């Protein structure tokens, strides 16, 4: 399966192909993979993510899925790359990983059927749909800061074409230990369905990204942790967590909170009490 990556080469963003342990540019220049400075493998006009899709995650929440998927938006300013630093802002504590498969659009798609959707997909890459749950109380509807803060959308390492999404294993590691272990077969709605659903009312352009959902056991990470998401046939996306250079400003906007809604989402328990217990002091 061909794999394409984007790297910074001699000061310019360049698309390269994987050839063994090397990356090869169109003009023949080569760089070893471990020496390359990676960029997100695509340049989307938008990133759209499904809320819940993996059955293990739904069971963990102790809820029932709606009849059709629901979505949120991650701004492109949240994009990050393989080996990039993921920022947990100073003053925040509840930054969670979410290993996922990302769908990359290859042709302009509008009002296509699920049966046709595969023709509009360029390929797939690995994603980590980080969530900054400190802002969950104030952004519960939009998820804007929770999911859209800077650096919270790593993609990579490459775009793989001709990848069959059926029966593929997805694992997330923190400091080398497996923390998520799922399969694409536990998705309620497959990749083609998601593309067709969004494209009914939102035009999808080449490079646009759809995040397809995470399995159970999303949990908080902290500065110094190394987080890796590995998808069978797509590779391993690696990032490390750092503390932001400045604290969350206190002279404007909502502040980070530690309500039961925040804690139960971040820590994965006591779902029946979500949103009804008093905030911690």
């Amino acid at each position: 399966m061909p794999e394409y990556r984007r790297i910074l080469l001699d000061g310019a963003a360049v698309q390269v192909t994987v050839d063994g342990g090397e990356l090869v540019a169109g003009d023949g220049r080569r760089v070893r993979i471990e020496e390359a400075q990676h960029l997100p493998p695509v340049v989307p006009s938008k990133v759209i993510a499904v809320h819940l899709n993996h059955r293990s995650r739904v069971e963990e929440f102790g809820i029932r899925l709606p009849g059709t998927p629901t979505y949120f938006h991650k701004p492109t300013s949240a994009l990050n790359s393989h080996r990039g630093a993921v920022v947990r802002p100073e003053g925040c504590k509840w930054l969670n990983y979410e290993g996922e498969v990302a769908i990359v659009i290859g042709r302009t798609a509008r009002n296509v059927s699920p049966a046709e959707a595969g023709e509009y997909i360029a390929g797939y890459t690995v994603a980590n749909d980080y969530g900054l749950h400190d802002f969950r109380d104030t952004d519960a509807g939009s998820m804007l800061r929770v999911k859209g803060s800077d650096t919270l959308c790593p993609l990579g390492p490459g775009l793989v074409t001709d990848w069959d999404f059926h029966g593929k294993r997805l694992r997330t590691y923190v400091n080398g230990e497996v923390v998520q272990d799922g399969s694409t077969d536990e998705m309620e709605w497959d990749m083609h369905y998601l593309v067709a659903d969004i494209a009914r009312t939102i035009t999808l352009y080449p490079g646009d990204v759809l995040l397809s959902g995470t399995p159970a056991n999303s949990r908080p990470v902290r500065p110094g942790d190394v987080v890796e998401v590995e998808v069978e046939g797509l590779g391993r996306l690696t990032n490390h967590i750092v503390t932001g250079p400045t604290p969350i400003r206190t002279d404007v906007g909502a502040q980070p909170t530690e309500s039961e809604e925040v804690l139960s989402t971040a820590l994965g328990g006591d779902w029946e009490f979500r949103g009804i217990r008093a905030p911690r002091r």
Side-chain angles (χ1 to χ4, degrees):
M1 293 179 289
E3 179 179 350
Y4 303 92
R5 302 190 184 188
R6 290 177 65 250
I7 64 171
L8 196 63
L9 186 59
D10 295 333
V14 176
Q15 185 181 68
V16 293
T17 56
V18 176
D19 181 18
E22 292 186 317
L23 303 173
V24 185
D27 59 7
R29 285 177 294 172
R30 290 177 173 263
V31 59
R32 295 195 59 80
I33 288 177
E34 63 268 22
E35 297 173 354
Q37 183 176 344
H38 281 74
L39 301 170
V42 294
V43 184
S45 71
K46 51 188 166 291
V47 179
I48 297 171
V50 64
H51 276 110
L52 289 171
N53 197 7
H54 282 250
R55 285 186 286 274
S56 63
R57 185 70 165 152
V58 174
E59 292 168 3
E60 180 184 36
F61 271 49
I63 61 174
R64 297 178 65 181
L65 277 175
T68 55
T70 60
Y71 304 90
F72 59 91
H73 176 250
K74 290 173 84 85
T76 56
S77 53
L79 286 171
N80 201 342
S81 60
H82 177 53
R83 298 180 185 156
V86 174
V87 173
R88 190 185 78 174
E90 186 176 337
C92 294
K93 296 166 59 176
W94 306 110
L95 174 67
N96 281 44
Y97 55 79
E98 291 189 10
E100 308 201 5
V101 175
I103 306 162
V104 179
I105 300 300
R107 297 169 50 200
T108 299
R110 179 70 166 85
N111 195 30
V112 300
S113 71
E116 298 168 320
E119 302 171 15
Y120 295 83
I121 295 173
Y124 301 84
T125 188
V126 185
N128 200 328
D129 179 21
Y130 282 95
L132 190 64
H133 294 297
D134 304 73
F135 287 104
R136 193 170 188 90
D137 286 327
T138 55
D139 285 5
S142 71
M143 301 280 279
L144 181 60
R145 284 168 289 197
V146 175
K147 293 296 189 132
S149 293
D150 290 354
T151 76
L152 299 192
C153 189
L155 300 175
L159 169 67
V160 178
T161 60
D162 300 325
W163 182 74
D164 182 353
F165 60 77
H166 296 92
K168 296 301 190 294
R169 196 165 193 177
L170 185 160
R171 283 178 165 177
T172 302
Y173 303 78
V174 175
N175 302 325
E177 296 188 6
V178 176
V179 291
Q180 287 185 296
D181 193 348
S183 166
T184 55
D185 281 351
E186 64 167 298
M187 293 169 60
E188 184 69 19
W189 300 289
D190 71 16
M191 313 299 184
H192 296 170
Y193 184 102
L194 298 177
V195 170
D197 187 16
I198 289 294
R200 290 185 304 159
T201 60
I202 299 173
T203 300
L204 297 172
Y205 296 108
D208 283 352
V209 169
L210 276 66
L211 305 185
S212 62
T214 196
N217 296 315
S218 165
R219 296 293 185 272
V221 285
R222 62 188 64 189
D225 287 341
V226 175
V227 185
E228 300 170 284
V229 182
E230 183 177 45
V231 178
E232 183 182 350
L234 296 183
R236 186 179 288 216
L237 170 68
T238 301
N239 298 98
H240 58 283
I241 312 301
V242 301
T243 300
T246 56
I248 296 293
R249 294 188 67 98
T250 60
D251 59 351
V252 64
Q255 297 302 302
T257 59
E258 280 194 319
S259 70
E260 181 59 30
E261 174 75 12
V262 170
L263 295 174
S264 63
T265 303
L267 299 176
D270 295 334
W271 301 109
E272 66 270 28
F273 299 112
R274 290 179 75 198
I276 63 174
R277 289 203 286 223
R280 288 188 177 185
R281 300 295 182 186

